[in-house]
Amino acid sequence: MSTSDATLAPTRAERHQKPRPASDFRPDIQGLRAIAVGLVVLYHLWPKRLSGGYVGVDVFFVISGFLITSHIHREIVSTGHLRVTRFWARRIRRLLPASLLVLVLSGLGVLLFAPSTTWAQTAREIAASALYVQNWQLATSAVDYMALDNVPTVAQHFWSLSVEEQFYAVWPVLILGLLAVMRLRGHRDTRKAVLAGLALLSVASLTWSVVSTLQDQAFAYMSTFTRVWEFAAGGITALALVSLRRPGATVAAWLGLAAVVGSGSVLTEASLFPGWVALFPVLGTVALLVSGAETPVGRVLATRPMTFVGDISYSVYLVHWPLIVLVPHLTGHPLRWTEKLLILVATLGLAWLSKTWVEDPLRTGPLLSKAPRRAFVFALTAMALVVGSTTTWGAVLEQREQRAATEAAQRIEAGERCLGPRALVPEDGCSSVAGDGPLVSPPEAVVAQSKDPLFTRCQQSLGNPALLDCVLGDPSGAKGTIALVGDSHAGALIPTVDELGKRRGLKVVVHTKGSCPATDARRTVEGETSDERQASCTAYNAAVDEALLADASVSLVLTSSYTRAYGWEGTGDGPETGIAGFASRYERWRSAGKQVVVIADVPATAGEPVPNCIAQHLNDPEACAVPRAEAVVPDLAVSAAERAGAPVVDLNDLFCDAASCYSQVGDVIVYRDRSHLSIEYARMLAPFLDSRLR
């Protein structure tokens, strides 16, 4: 694909003031790359000490916009056209060999050293990274409540590389499109026209970034559309760049450096980023680009140590994160200072090797550079091999999960004496709480339940306030109807209550919604940046109330909530507001003639997802236990039930003994993540809930 002649005519200002040649090599830009990658790597290693180091990615985006737009402008002005296929081939030679090699080696590292619970998620993300859509994969997970406990994978950092590749794919076509439109409209000053087009694009993207960040920060952070303006800022700088005179250049350089480094030091994970806050690192980078290499700051950036790190910055970014993820699996503990320093040294060494033996030879050698089609064939073949391998990997894991589910159902149906919660029943005389046989479902099958829950139609998503039509148990309702109401912890009891309904001949109506406890109080959740989810929860709770009060067939309401996960807004102190909100709802249901039973929330677990812990301690599952005094925490719903005169069913004795609360009981993994019950354990609680309700 190539274009007809499309030139950028110089403006009057450009005819009177010579622009700085965009084609000149800028060693200070290499130094700026070193600062950018340094911010990111140090943030990943010491997030509390450099809490805003993630802005290094934004610095890279601006630099990319500057350099790529400079290249496109230079080629169009000098040749009268732009060969887009050659442009894309150069990007392939520069970026894909090293990135795909790192993906392959990282996947092998996960298979060798990481627990099996991480394999399926890793396979999905490596495939997405190979196709350069990892940012959208993570953006989707960021708004998926059931994926919030996902642990970082070796490919997670490819989100920013995916955004960059999408930029490289679209940017030359976009600029040529702007040129074509302006020529059709009779504009001869195409430089000014393109600048105007990029300015409009930048304003639109920045506006969307601000709005999207307020609505859903997690999604906005990964979205390509909220980052376009950062590339555009670099592009505008490239087209409008003129030499600054001292002392203006020196002042701009110091202000730019302060904005970039200051953002990395001051911002935190709680900052509303990207949004308008990203203006600080972006404009700081623009100031450094404009000020040039002749300022004191520019001369420091152009020193050999800085340019060396800048030269290998791409490989540094590629290799540092897999090391950070994999080393703790090798050592069996979180990273310590000495290990972090060793990772820094190893990152620089591996990055230099990658640059010397992979990037440069394939970028400049005859194998891929003789003709663009060679680069495209390489890209398609290598990406297909990576995606095909990970797809096969995922299919094998899925077959193992299906086989495990079948075997689990057979063992549960057989009713082994010490299986599951029965191992904690003193009368059964079981010798081991954890069990001494094979696991009913292996850790990788249990962790997959969060991604693919059994009753997908029964728990409403975070942003949707509509009721779902979910009927379980005995749909005929021959012996009555009961309702299960609450947030995702109530949703985790769906297998329990479904089994209960089948045992008693009861129809079960389910009203559960992630992060939405059944309360009249206004809950707050750490990390929520807008009122959208709160408004959705309020509307959902109102709809549940209306449905329950209008349905005379519902005689019993079972409810449970993850109360320790929320804060509360109100006139009193937080806990009192929460208790009052739950109590008022229970009283309203009771006044309507419903019996209300609160099921006490499950005990708390340790920090990491339970299946991961079990996978790493298969021979010592009690290492994943938590002292009972720490695990059994106050449940505001229980306090509210006592105030409202509603009975409480407490199942903690089926999770804990007098000393500890367990993550594996009777050969069954108790939780599928950090706090939600596994399907197997929830189902096996049914006879105990049945007897206690009677």
Side-chain angles (χ1 to χ4, degrees), residues 284-625:
T285 306
V286 168
L288 287 165
L289 292 172
V290 169
S291 60
E294 301 306 319
T295 65
V297 173
R299 286 193 289 272
V300 172
L301 292 177
T303 58
R304 184 54 189 152
M306 296 296 289
T307 58
F308 170 75
V309 176
D311 289 343
I312 63 172
S313 58
Y314 176 60
S315 289
V316 167
Y317 187 85
L318 284 175
V319 304
H320 85 283
W321 183 251
L323 293 176
I324 290 174
V325 171
L326 289 173
V327 168
H329 295 308
L330 289 169
T331 61
H333 58 254
L335 290 175
R336 297 167 180 165
W337 265 84
T338 53
E339 292 154 357
K340 292 179 180 181
L341 292 175
L342 288 173
I343 286 175
L344 271 179
V345 174
T347 294
L348 291 173
L350 291 172
W352 178 82
L353 289 173
S354 173
K355 179 76 163 56
T356 304
W357 296 101
V358 178
E359 291 180 49
D360 289 346
L362 290 176
R363 178 172 58 87
T364 60
L367 181 63
L368 299 182
S369 61
K370 266 196 170 183
R373 66 175 178 274
R374 289 192 178 187
F376 289 111
V377 169
F378 163 77
L380 292 173
T381 303
M383 293 167 74
L385 287 173
V386 173
V387 173
S389 299
T390 53
T391 302
T392 302
W393 185 8
V396 170
L397 292 175
E398 187 174 349
Q399 290 176 357
R400 288 175 60 178
E401 292 162 13
Q402 292 172 349
R403 186 165 58 250
T406 302
E407 293 172 356
Q410 292 171 349
R411 291 187 66 184
I412 293 171
E413 186 68 25
E416 298 176 22
R417 183 172 63 87
C418 290
L419 193 66
R422 294 181 63 177
L424 279 165
V425 177
E427 293 78 9
D428 285 346
C430 300
S431 59
S432 169
V433 171
D436 49 17
L439 283 170
V440 166
S441 286
E444 62 269 23
V446 174
V447 80
Q449 294 172 8
S450 291
K451 189 69 180 175
D452 187 21
L454 183 61
F455 299 98
T456 54
R457 71 185 189 281
C458 293
Q459 179 167 302
Q460 185 55 278
S461 60
L462 294 174
N464 194 332
L467 297 186
L468 294 173
D469 182 17
C470 176
V471 175
L472 300 174
D474 181 356
S476 69
K479 295 185 179 180
T481 302
I482 63 175
L484 175 64
V485 180
D487 60 10
S488 63
H489 274 212
L493 290 168
I494 290 174
T496 313
V497 182
D498 177 46
E499 187 68 24
L500 172 70
K502 292 174 180 175
R503 284 170 168 264
R504 287 203 190 182
L506 296 169
K507 176 181 176 181
V508 178
V509 178
V510 179
H511 297 306
T512 63
K513 175 177 169 67
S515 189
C516 187
T519 175
D520 289 337
R522 181 181 176 87
R523 102 281 187 270
T524 60
V525 178
E526 185 178 355
E528 281 192 358
T529 57
S530 75
D531 289 335
E532 182 181 5
R533 290 179 181 172
Q534 176 59 50
S536 175
C537 180
T538 300
Y540 181 82
N541 274 331
V544 170
D545 245 19
E546 182 180 354
L548 287 179
L549 298 178
D551 190 348
S553 68
V554 175
S555 58
L556 170 65
V557 178
L558 299 175
T559 184
S560 187
S561 295
Y562 188 21
T563 63
R564 65 179 180 269
Y566 308 110
W568 309 96
E569 291 183 3
T571 55
D573 64 7
E576 175 55 34
T577 299
I579 292 170
F582 284 107
S584 64
R585 178 149 295 208
Y586 302 159
E587 289 166 355
R588 190 157 61 251
W589 293 340
R590 285 167 57 82
S591 296
K594 318 290 184 185
Q595 185 179 5
V596 178
V597 175
V598 173
I599 302 174
D601 195 21
V602 296
T605 64
E608 70 176 319
V610 166
N612 290 13
C613 184
I614 296 296
Q616 295 176 74
H617 299 91
L618 286 173
N619 297 323
D620 183 24
E622 292 192 11
C624 303

Side-chain angles (χ1 to χ4, degrees), residues 113-122 149-153 329 442-448 607-618 624 663 669 671-674:
F113 306 120
S116 57
T117 49
T118 64
W119 292 355
Q121 185 185 345
T122 298
D149 276 330
N150 280 351
V151 296
T153 73
H329 295 308
E444 62 269 23
V446 174
V447 80
E608 70 176 319
V610 166
N612 290 13
C613 184
I614 296 296
Q616 295 176 74
H617 299 91
L618 286 173
C624 303
S663 295
I669 297 175
Y671 303 91
R672 66 173 183 253
D673 49 26
R674 290 183 174 91

Side-chain angles (χ1 to χ4, degrees), residues 10-24 191 239-245:
T11 64
R12 180 180 302 176
E14 291 166 335
R15 286 194 294 269
H16 288 82
Q17 184 176 19
K18 183 180 178 181
R20 178 187 300 162
S23 59
D24 286 354
R191 172 192 284 272
L239 292 178
L241 186 62
V242 293
S243 298
L244 288 177
R245 305 298 180 188

